[in-house]
Amino acid sequence: MDKWQSPIAPGISWYQESVGERPTYPTLDGSRSVDVAIIGGGYTGLQAAFNLARAGVSVALLEAARLGDGASGRNGGQLNTGQRWWPEDLEKQVGYERSKILFDMAEDAKRHLLDFASAHGIEMDYRPGQLNVSHKRGHEREYQANAQIAAERYNYPHISFMDGKETAERLGSNSYHCGVRDTGTGHVHPLKLLVGLARVASSAGAQIYENTCATAIEKTRNGPGGKILVKTAKGTLSADRVLIATNAYIGNLEPVTAAHIMPIGSFIAATAPLDDYPNVIPGGEAVADSRFVVRYFRKDKDNRLLFGGREVYSSKNPQDTAQAIRKQIVETYPALKDVPVTHAWGGNVGITLPRQPFVREVMPGVTSIGGYSGHGVMLSNYCGKLYADTVLGKATDLDHLAALNIRAFPGGTHMRTPLLFLALTWFALRDRL
């Protein structure tokens, strides 16, 4: 088993234990010159690195910790459908034409991920199906409309409405009142995907460096011929272009990204295998509920329940995480009160104010992409590919996300985090009412 304890992600995840020993990559020692430098070793950065290297572009990727320590290696594994908003809600904001483009882009992202894993022999334990369920009464009409709109306006016939009885049967729980079932998506083992993606990127010729934190980004001079320098403790990358793909772990590296992508804690626990509880999600779908502070859960191929949704944003104690999530598990499934929680883990994920991806050139030659706000498994992989396509002059589909109005979080550098904490606490209280 891989005994590595991440400095940025408290707890040993079930993903980490089930993968076993992960490949290691060297630390950058000395200076390098490349066409493209990538900061961040999650899905976005690795997909960009693979697609660029495969096309003959020299590319180096820096990961501050180990590959998989960030959200890409420890998330809920759900692919979802569409963008973070339901399409009918996004349509009210940006109009039908742009909403349809963004919905279709998300479907392209889903296909890209599944095709990519198949083409490169990445066994990511894909399981089909997702249930989106309402924790409050009175939402039946809204959920019925979602299924109808998806089929009729977005050419997506895979969503069907579930009344209270069907919802209870498919969940094995009476905690939710209605929902929709989506047979056109599914869920994966995120760390197996990431390990396979890193292998493929490295094999394509991308230089990958772990435990190498970028400390500064500087431009040598303006105008043609100017290089961008990415500085680290033991060396510097000189590049024509830079991709910032740090998501929630931007820190003080680049202020525009830090103002628009906020880190919040996300926590998950895994139970022992539920072989004696066949009525818990008998169809094997992933589940996400209607709370603002979403509870999300699924069974993996080993029949463990993986449950996420802790409403605390600062704890670094895995035991506290296990106890808090156990309470939520028992609220949903009282029969599981004596089932052991074997693993608990957490860390930061990146959100934006409107819960839509942040894509922007933050300085000449430097593009920042992140803030997937819970829809990152498929969108981040696709955005990495689209960034490479843009660099290679093949397509500009990334412009659809760059055109979104992603406002900065209010409060400035010092008040941004406390204001977000207050807002999330308020919404968590509303979820209970």
Side-chain angles (χ1 to χ4, degrees):
M1 185 187 74
D2 184 348
K3 292 291 189 180
W4 166 258
Q5 173 57 67
S6 167
I8 65 172
I12 303 295
S13 74
W14 167 242
Y15 301 138
Q16 183 177 337
E17 185 166 332
S18 61
V19 163
E21 291 291 339
R22 285 179 285 170
T24 59
Y25 296 88
T27 298
L28 177 66
D29 189 0
S31 296
R32 306 282 189 278
S33 180
V34 292
D35 297 323
V36 180
I38 298 172
I39 306 171
Y43 296 144
T44 305
L46 286 169
Q47 279 283 355
F50 163 72
N51 283 279
L52 289 168
R54 181 177 61 169
V57 176
S58 64
V59 56
L61 180 148
L62 307 179
E63 167 55 47
R66 281 190 64 188
L67 299 182
D69 285 2
S72 292
R74 53 173 165 73
N75 62 77
Q78 301 194 27
L79 300 191
N80 304 305
T81 290
Q83 302 288 333
R84 180 63 171 75
W85 294 27
W86 279 4
E88 55 267 39
D89 295 329
L90 186 58
E91 187 176 326
K92 295 173 185 175
Q93 179 190 20
V94 302
Y96 172 73
E97 182 178 354
R98 289 185 65 199
S99 179
K100 181 67 163 58
I101 288 172
L102 292 169
F103 185 91
D104 290 345
M105 174 184 285
E107 281 302 288
D108 291 341
K110 192 187 299 180
R111 284 188 291 271
H112 165 261
L113 177 56
L114 297 177
D115 291 347
F116 177 86
S118 176
H120 297 283
I122 300 173
E123 179 47 68
M124 57 182 183
D125 297 348
Y126 177 77
R127 304 187 76 192
Q130 184 181 43
L131 310 176
N132 287 283
V133 295
S134 175
H135 75 292
K136 292 184 178 181
R137 299 184 185 276
H139 289 175
E140 288 82 2
R141 186 173 297 179
E142 178 182 348
Y143 280 74
Q144 286 175 328
N146 175 247
Q148 183 176 357
I149 291 169
E152 295 179 358
R153 293 179 62 77
Y154 289 85
N155 194 31
Y156 189 80
H158 308 294
I159 295 178
S160 59
F161 172 72
M162 303 185 301
D163 61 14
K165 181 175 182 293
E166 182 180 355
T167 299
E169 290 173 349
R170 292 198 180 278
L171 287 179
S173 169
N174 293 314
S175 297
Y176 295 94
H177 305 288
C178 69
V180 292
R181 182 184 182 217
D182 187 347
T183 60
T185 190
H187 50 105
V188 303
H189 189 303
L191 188 54
K192 286 186 177 180
L193 169 60
L194 184 126
V195 169
L197 175 53
R199 169 181 57 81
V200 171
S202 179
S203 297
Q207 304 172 48
I208 297 176
Y209 301 101
E210 291 184 315
N211 295 307
T212 304
C213 181
T215 57
I217 305 171
E218 298 178 359
K219 198 88 160 68
T220 57
R221 70 171 187 267
N222 295 324
K227 294 287 186 177
I228 305 164
L229 304 181
V230 179
K231 296 187 174 181
T232 76
K234 294 185 178 181
T236 298
L237 290 180
S238 173
D240 298 315
R241 293 174 183 255
V242 171
L243 170 62
I244 298 174
T246 55
N247 202 22
Y249 292 94
I250 184 63
N252 296 319
L253 180 65
E254 197 287 306
V256 177
T257 304
H260 290 82
I261 299 178
M262 179 71 70
I264 66 167
S266 180
F267 301 90
I268 304 176
T271 70
L274 301 183
D275 298 335
D276 296 331
Y277 301 90
N279 63 320
V280 174
I281 323 177
E285 300 95 343
V287 184
D289 76 8
S290 58
R291 289 175 171 86
F292 184 88
V293 183
V294 178
R295 295 184 184 181
Y296 51 96
F297 46 100
R298 64 190 184 93
K299 289 194 300 186
D300 70 355
K301 74 179 185 68
D302 297 306
N303 216 22
R304 294 173 182 267
L305 182 67
L306 309 182
F307 198 105
R310 188 181 176 198
E311 297 171 359
V312 176
Y313 308 101
S314 59
S315 175
K316 296 184 179 180
N317 186 328
Q319 186 57 41
D320 290 347
T321 297
Q323 292 172 358
I325 296 183
R326 167 180 283 285
K327 180 180 178 182
Q328 295 183 358
I329 291 173
V330 174
E331 286 175 2
T332 307
Y333 293 105
L336 302 185
K337 60 183 177 64
D338 295 323
V339 174
V341 169
T342 60
H343 299 76
W345 65 94
N348 289 336
V349 298
I351 67 169
T352 64
L353 197 59
R355 299 297 184 94
Q356 296 166 330
F358 175 76
V359 178
R360 187 171 301 179
E361 186 174 66
V362 294
M363 57 188 290
V366 180
T367 299
S368 182
I369 305 176
Y372 301 104
S373 306
H375 265 47
V377 176
M378 63 180 190
L379 286 178
S380 60
N381 274 276
Y382 198 53
C383 282
K385 174 191 178 297
L386 291 182
Y387 172 79
D389 287 347
T390 301
V391 171
L392 297 169
K394 294 167 58 176
T396 57
D397 289 350
L398 200 60
D399 290 347
H400 296 306
L401 294 178
L404 291 171
N405 180 24
I406 309 299
R407 303 182 305 281
F409 283 90
T413 303
H414 299 293
M415 291 301 296
R416 192 177 297 132
T417 299
L419 287 174
L420 178 69
F421 179 84
L422 290 173
L424 291 172
T425 302
W426 164 247
F427 280 112
L429 290 172
R430 286 185 58 188
D431 284 339
R432 298 189 182 103
L433 300 177

